[in-house]
Amino acid sequence: MTEGVPERAQNMVAESVAGGVRRNSEATRAAILRAARHRFAADGYDRATIRAIAADARIDPSMVMRYYGSKENLFATAAEFDLRLPDLSDVPADRLGLALVSYFFTRWEGDSTLPALLRTASTNPAGAERMRAIFTTQLGPAVARMVADPDEAPRRAGLVASQLLGVALTRYVLRLPPMVDITPAELIDWLAPTIQRYLRDPTPPFVDHEVSGRNRDRTCH
Amino acid sequence: MTEGVPERAQNMVAESVAGGVRRNSEATRAAILRAARHRFAADGYDRATIRAIAADARIDPSMVMRYYGSKENLFATAAEFDLRLPDLSDVPADRLGLALVSYFFTRWEGDSTLPALLRTASTNPAGAERMRAIFTTQLGPAVARMVADPDEAPRRAGLVASQLLGVALTRYVLRLPPMVDITPAELIDWLAPTIQRYLRDPTPPFVDHEVSGRNRDRTCH
DNA sequence: ACGGTATGCCAACGACTGTTGACTTCCCAA
DNA sequence: TTGGGAAGTCAACAGTCGTTGGCATACCGT
């Protein structure tokens, strides 16, 4: 009565696979990758354990190492991130904000990669570096093609990122109720003017705020 | 020559305290709390270890437990978070955005509690719940006093949070270069109109976007 | 039929974590 | 002077993690 039962895996949310059959290499590689994406998205890099990913893929943890070498390498390929920004060169300049916001929602609502990246980049330095790289190599150049003055592109791209990532954060990660309940269509109507302004409007201050001409310096209240 | 040296703590960023003197209870409690705030802000809940916090405070890890009971309890008191939103009831309605943005910057630029909360809420469910609580009990009511229609308060508060937290995320956590380099004053000029619109402007769409009247549904492109 | 190879499981290592309890050291009041 | 309690140290427990190597089983070309 040594009770040496190794605790059967009875995870309800696991890959569906007939009992005991063998899969070919490609299938398990894909299964691992899919489980990894889900776990990284739900828990972030640190809390997503190799053991949990393996359990979801109905496989031994050692197989993950065999196929992907290390956890860091697994994350690197799981979080391969291509914004796949479409060509917006034929969109009229005054509709760029609407086009960009619409596209980002069609991209995010069904893809949990961004929350995964967000969760990871918040705590993992390598994740943050990856986020900065995506910003520099993908969003940056795309925004550069939309703005009037190329010198202002990085700054405007940063502002766009602050609003779009803020929405992703509050809606998908923090799950603030009002941001979860609102429909994508309504959200697009609210956000499009903001993004449009960050992309195309002249640098503020447009006019000196209101009539009372004192307190020119608004930095520290 | 058993080499049993227990590895002296030679952390350069540790609490400065004369060698070997004893402190009273209050002093070490405060030292622990200060070290905890720094560590939680820099690393988030999971990666900030009790041992590292204790080392920063030049103290044994067991003392942290003696004074605060558990890591979760320590975080709870370290991340005690009061937005300390000022009374904006005498601010004219068309300057509320500017006032709110200005205030948030004077609050954040010198306080690392928000990054700590952000890093933690991204991965820790309890942290996310705390974030939602802050939103509901502090930002929500404050925004409710600023908007015209009380029924729209939660939604508008959510939009405000999405932009402000997005700035905190990109500037303090992800540290996207353009968002780090920009000065608070410039950032305020960019953000104030956005927040102002989220607070006070009528619900969009203001007008049917442009002339071409087709594609009413912009949800899925 | 057979041997090699691909696929997979099992048990364990070493490191690190939060947490605990016993022990030492010092100050201060009686 | 002497005890008691506060302040702090030390070593260890129990658990989890990424990672490793050895071993079993199934497939397939010859």
Side-chain angles (χ1 to χ4, degrees), chain B residues 2 59 182:
Chain B
T2 44
I59 227 171
I182 194 171

Side-chain angles (χ1 to χ4, degrees), chain B residues 9-168:
Chain B
Q10 45 188 8
N11 195 329
M12 291 304 177
V13 228
E15 292 282 325
S16 67
V17 60
V21 292
R22 286 162 70 105
R23 298 173 285 195
N24 60 358
S25 166
E26 291 300 316
T28 61
R29 275 190 78 95
I32 292 171
L33 203 60
R34 191 140 65 101
R37 287 216 172 90
H38 284 150
R39 282 288 177 180
F40 283 135
D43 303 335
Y45 184 83
D46 290 305
R47 296 171 92 89
T49 68
I50 295 264
R51 284 173 164 84
I53 293 170
D56 285 358
R58 290 207 175 278
I59 227 171
D60 192 84
S62 63
M63 296 302 293
V64 178
M65 306 303 299
R66 192 188 284 290
Y67 281 126
Y68 290 95
S70 69
K71 182 183 183 180
E72 197 154 346
N73 199 302
L74 172 62
F75 177 77
T77 71
E80 206 82 40
F81 200 85
D82 186 357
L83 291 180
R84 297 203 296 263
L85 284 164
D87 181 23
L88 298 179
S89 58
D90 57 351
V91 173
D94 61 341
R95 298 194 116 216
L96 282 172
L98 177 61
L100 194 56
V101 173
S102 299
Y103 171 74
F104 263 76
F105 269 95
T106 67
R107 183 87 173 77
W108 288 349
E109 285 286 318
D111 189 347
S112 59
T113 313
L114 184 70
L117 212 52
L118 229 41
R119 272 186 233 265
T120 301
S122 299
T123 53
N124 191 294
E129 180 54 45
R130 175 175 287 260
M131 197 91 228
R132 284 191 290 269
I134 291 168
F135 174 83
T136 305
T137 65
Q138 298 191 47
L139 184 61
V143 168
R145 274 179 255 114
M146 305 182 196
V147 302
D149 181 357
D151 293 342
E152 289 182 327
R155 172 161 301 187
R156 290 175 184 270
L159 290 164
V160 168
S162 80
Q163 176 62 93
L164 294 180
L165 291 182
V167 171

Side-chain angles (χ1 to χ4, degrees), chain A residues 46-47 94-95 119 122 132 155 162-163 166 174-175 186 189-190 194 197-198 209-210 218-219, chain B residues 46-47 94-95 119 122 132 155 162-163 166 174 185-186 189-190 194 197-198 204 209-210 218:
Chain A
D46 291 305
R47 296 172 93 89
D94 61 341
R95 298 193 116 217
R119 271 186 234 266
S122 299
R132 283 191 290 269
R155 172 161 300 186
S162 79
Q163 176 63 94
L174 301 181
R175 304 195 68 79
E186 291 174 301
D189 282 336
W190 274 108
T194 298
R197 190 165 62 81
Y198 292 163
H209 295 286
E210 200 67 324
R218 283 182 301 292
T219 308
Chain B
D46 290 305
R47 296 171 92 89
D94 61 341
R95 298 194 116 216
R119 272 186 233 265
S122 299
R132 284 191 290 269
R155 172 161 301 187
S162 80
Q163 176 62 93
L174 302 181
E186 291 173 301
D189 282 335
W190 274 107
T194 298
R197 191 165 60 80
Y198 291 162
H209 294 287
E210 202 66 325
R218 281 182 302 290

Side-chain angles (χ1 to χ4, degrees), chain A residues 144-201:
Chain A
R145 273 179 256 114
M146 305 182 196
V147 302
D149 181 357
D151 292 344
E152 288 182 329
R155 172 161 300 186
R156 290 176 184 268
L159 290 164
V160 168
S162 79
Q163 176 63 94
L164 295 181
L165 292 182
V167 170
L169 178 76
T170 52
R171 181 175 172 92
Y172 305 124
V173 177
L174 301 181
R175 304 195 68 79
L176 300 186
M179 292 299 286
V180 173
D181 297 338
I182 193 171
T183 69
E186 291 174 301
L187 209 35
I188 288 172
D189 282 336
W190 274 108
L191 298 175
T194 298
I195 303 301
Q196 178 69 36
R197 190 165 62 81
Y198 292 163
L199 286 175
R200 302 290 309 182
D201 276 20

Side-chain angles (χ1 to χ4, degrees), chain B residues 168-181:
Chain B
L169 179 75
T170 52
R171 183 176 170 91
Y172 305 125
V173 178
L174 302 181
R175 305 194 68 78
L176 299 186
M179 292 299 287
V180 172
D181 296 338

Side-chain angles (χ1 to χ4, degrees), chain A residues 5-219:
Chain A
V5 183
E7 161 188 337
R8 280 156 299 179
Q10 46 188 6
N11 197 328
M12 292 301 178
V13 231
E15 292 281 326
S16 67
V17 62
V21 292
R22 284 161 71 105
R23 298 173 285 194
N24 60 0
S25 167
E26 291 300 316
T28 61
R29 274 190 80 95
I32 292 172
L33 204 59
R34 190 140 63 103
R37 287 215 172 90
H38 285 150
R39 283 288 178 180
F40 282 134
D43 304 333
Y45 184 82
D46 291 305
R47 296 172 93 89
T49 68
I50 295 263
R51 284 171 164 85
I53 292 170
D56 285 358
R58 289 208 176 280
I59 227 172
D60 190 85
S62 63
M63 295 303 293
V64 178
M65 305 304 297
R66 192 191 285 288
Y67 281 125
Y68 290 95
S70 70
K71 182 182 182 180
E72 199 155 343
N73 199 301
L74 172 62
F75 176 77
T77 72
E80 206 81 39
F81 199 86
D82 188 358
L83 292 180
R84 296 203 296 266
L85 284 165
D87 181 24
L88 298 179
S89 59
D90 57 350
V91 174
D94 61 341
R95 298 193 116 217
L96 281 172
L98 177 62
L100 194 56
V101 173
S102 300
Y103 170 74
F104 263 76
F105 268 95
T106 67
R107 183 88 173 77
W108 288 350
E109 286 287 316
D111 188 347
S112 59
T113 312
L114 184 70
L117 211 52
L118 228 42
R119 271 186 234 266
T120 300
S122 299
T123 53
N124 192 295
E129 181 52 46
R130 175 174 287 258
M131 197 91 228
R132 283 191 290 269
I134 291 169
F135 174 83
T136 304
T137 66
Q138 299 192 46
L139 185 61
V143 168
R145 273 179 256 114
M146 305 182 196
V147 302
D149 181 357
D151 292 344
E152 288 182 329
R155 172 161 300 186
R156 290 176 184 268
L159 290 164
V160 168
S162 79
Q163 176 63 94
L164 295 181
L165 292 182
V167 170
L169 178 76
T170 52
R171 181 175 172 92
Y172 305 124
V173 177
L174 301 181
R175 304 195 68 79
L176 300 186
M179 292 299 286
V180 173
D181 297 338
I182 193 171
T183 69
E186 291 174 301
L187 209 35
I188 288 172
D189 282 336
W190 274 108
L191 298 175
T194 298
I195 303 301
Q196 178 69 36
R197 190 165 62 81
Y198 292 163
L199 286 175
R200 302 290 309 182
D201 276 20
T203 297
F206 318 107
V207 294
D208 199 359
H209 295 286
E210 200 67 324
V211 277
S212 62
R214 60 188 178 92
N215 73 329
R216 194 67 195 83
D217 176 324
R218 283 182 301 292
T219 308

